[in-house]
Amino acid sequence: EAVRVLPLPRNRLLAFNQTLIMGILNVTPDSFSDGGQYYSKEEGNIKKAVEEALYMVNECDVDVIDVGGESTRPGSKEVAVEEEMKRVLPVIEEIRCVSDVPISIDTRHSAVAKAAIKAGADIINDVSGGTFDPQMLPTASSLSVPIILMHSRGTPETMSKLTNYSNVVEDVASELWDRVHDAENHGIYKWNIMLDAGIGFAKGYEENVSLLKHGNGKLRDLLQDASMLWGPSRKRFIGTIVEEEDAKERDFGTIGACLAVICGGGNTNDEMDGTKEWRRGVGCHMLRVHNVKAVKQAVMVMDAIHKAD
């Protein structure tokens, strides 16, 4: 059976024969869930961040580590490129010295992306979908690395006011296709593109749960089975459902959201050998989460059940 892959620098690849897990490593003072936990103003003090990365690799079997130096929570302000580089580059360099784990750089800035790839990162993860910095798509093309294009509107400072949709699933799909076409026009190959529906970005409660419900159904079909990353981890809509204000206490709810997008959409009408088949997880190829170990275990069980006869 053919397996979809994502090619990486240095003759490596990610194989989507199972749902992959991307572990979040924010080296910021103000991220919504773990701000300050792995950040220090003292130059060169990156020990906690690297230790967390190695924990995710050695104890949790993480597939990708996503390093970010700028909070994009609702209302957050832009971080200067120089400051963002000071936060992320030493961490990426040190992780690369001790591990070959794939690394993505979570940034809206092309200069940061370029420097991070040079430092040892493998993937660009842009929450603006390449719209914030006009040089991002040309940079990704010239580097020949994968890029994750997330759906959002406006900036973190304005996105909470941009949540009007006529049909959120159809509108998000259409706007993501615009990003794909723009990327391809800049010379980025389709197999080097992953898409992210942008849970929590320019979306309210109803929009978030609707996207998760239809992620492995209508949205997947509208996006023609594009490679998909989902990032519901600890988001506010989970807190609303479970009545939990503390983002760090939303991991159980996060597991529910992750499993929902893997199996959402239910049975399809595809006929194989005269019987209806479950199209396993093709609406979700990777999950971006804070608690890697918990989600990894849940997804392994889900994948094993889906693969059973």
Side-chain angles (χ1 to χ4, degrees):
E1 181 181 352
V3 174
R4 185 180 308 198
V5 300
L6 189 70
L8 301 178
R10 298 180 295 283
N11 298 316
R12 293 139 65 235
L13 57 82
L14 289 171
F16 296 121
N17 58 339
Q18 60 185 0
T19 307
L20 303 185
I21 305 298
M22 172 186 282
I24 299 169
L25 185 61
N26 288 321
V27 284
T28 62
D30 56 347
S31 291
F32 82 95
S33 173
D34 54 359
Q37 192 169 352
Y38 307 112
Y39 165 81
S40 173
K41 288 186 177 180
E42 298 178 25
E43 190 170 350
N45 187 4
I46 58 173
K47 182 179 179 181
K48 284 187 177 180
V50 176
E51 286 178 349
E52 175 64 11
L54 290 179
Y55 168 76
M56 287 192 280
V57 171
N58 297 326
E59 302 297 325
C60 308
D61 196 24
V62 73
D63 298 294
V64 181
I65 292 178
D66 189 50
V67 179
E70 179 188 46
S71 174
T72 50
R73 76 189 193 286
S76 60
K77 298 183 182 299
E78 182 181 1
V79 173
V81 168
E82 295 77 12
E83 174 63 23
E84 191 179 353
M85 286 188 182
K86 283 171 61 177
R87 295 175 182 181
V88 301
L89 295 184
V91 174
I92 293 171
E93 289 169 352
E94 186 61 26
I95 294 172
R96 186 52 71 229
C97 285
V98 296
S99 174
D100 197 39
V101 64
I103 299 171
S104 56
I105 174 63
D106 180 357
T107 185
R108 300 180 291 166
H109 297 112
S110 61
V112 176
K114 185 174 182 179
I117 297 298
K118 183 178 180 180
D122 306 286
I123 302 166
I124 299 170
N125 182 13
D126 185 352
V127 298
S128 80
T131 63
F132 183 80
D133 183 341
Q135 291 304 309
M136 180 61 86
L137 296 181
T139 297
S141 178
S142 67
L143 294 170
S144 297
V145 296
I147 185 168
I148 300 167
L149 301 174
M150 195 191 80
H151 176 273
S152 188
R153 290 174 172 177
T155 68
E157 293 181 86
T158 63
M159 63 185 180
S160 295
K161 300 177 182 178
L162 302 173
T163 59
N164 291 326
Y165 299 86
S166 58
N167 181 301
V168 67
V169 175
E170 294 177 359
D171 292 350
V172 167
S174 176
E175 291 170 30
L176 279 175
W177 266 125
D178 289 342
R179 306 313 313 134
V180 171
H181 293 151
D182 198 10
E184 290 183 310
N185 287 338
H186 281 90
I188 300 175
Y189 295 113
K190 187 170 288 187
W191 58 78
N192 259 349
I193 298 172
M194 287 195 75
L195 301 179
D196 180 342
I199 296 297
F201 286 77
K203 298 166 189 76
Y205 172 85
E206 295 293 341
E207 289 78 25
N208 287 319
V209 295
S210 182
L211 284 167
L212 287 164
K213 177 178 180 178
H214 298 289
N216 197 16
K218 184 177 180 180
L219 184 67
R220 175 202 66 206
D221 293 338
L222 289 171
L223 293 174
Q224 299 179 19
D225 287 344
S227 298
M228 292 293 297
L229 168 76
W230 288 84
S233 186
R234 298 181 179 175
K235 294 287 175 70
R236 182 179 297 276
F237 81 94
I238 296 174
T240 299
I241 295 171
V242 302
E243 300 182 347
E244 178 57 72
E245 287 294 323
D246 187 350
K248 293 180 181 179
E249 297 298 321
R250 298 173 186 165
D251 285 342
F252 297 125
T254 293
I255 291 172
C258 289
L259 297 185
V261 77
I262 290 175
C263 62
N267 290 329
T268 74
N269 292 321
D270 293 341
E271 298 290 336
M272 296 181 66
D273 298 327
T275 62
K276 292 183 178 180
E277 287 288 323
W278 185 284
R279 292 175 62 182
R280 184 190 64 84
V282 294
C284 177
H285 299 88
M286 190 182 299
L287 291 162
R288 181 181 182 273
V289 300
H290 296 85
N291 190 330
V292 172
K293 191 168 188 176
V295 176
K296 181 86 173 184
Q297 288 187 0
V299 168
M300 288 173 67
V301 173
M302 178 65 76
D303 279 348
I305 293 170
H306 277 171
K307 289 177 180 178
D309 295 334

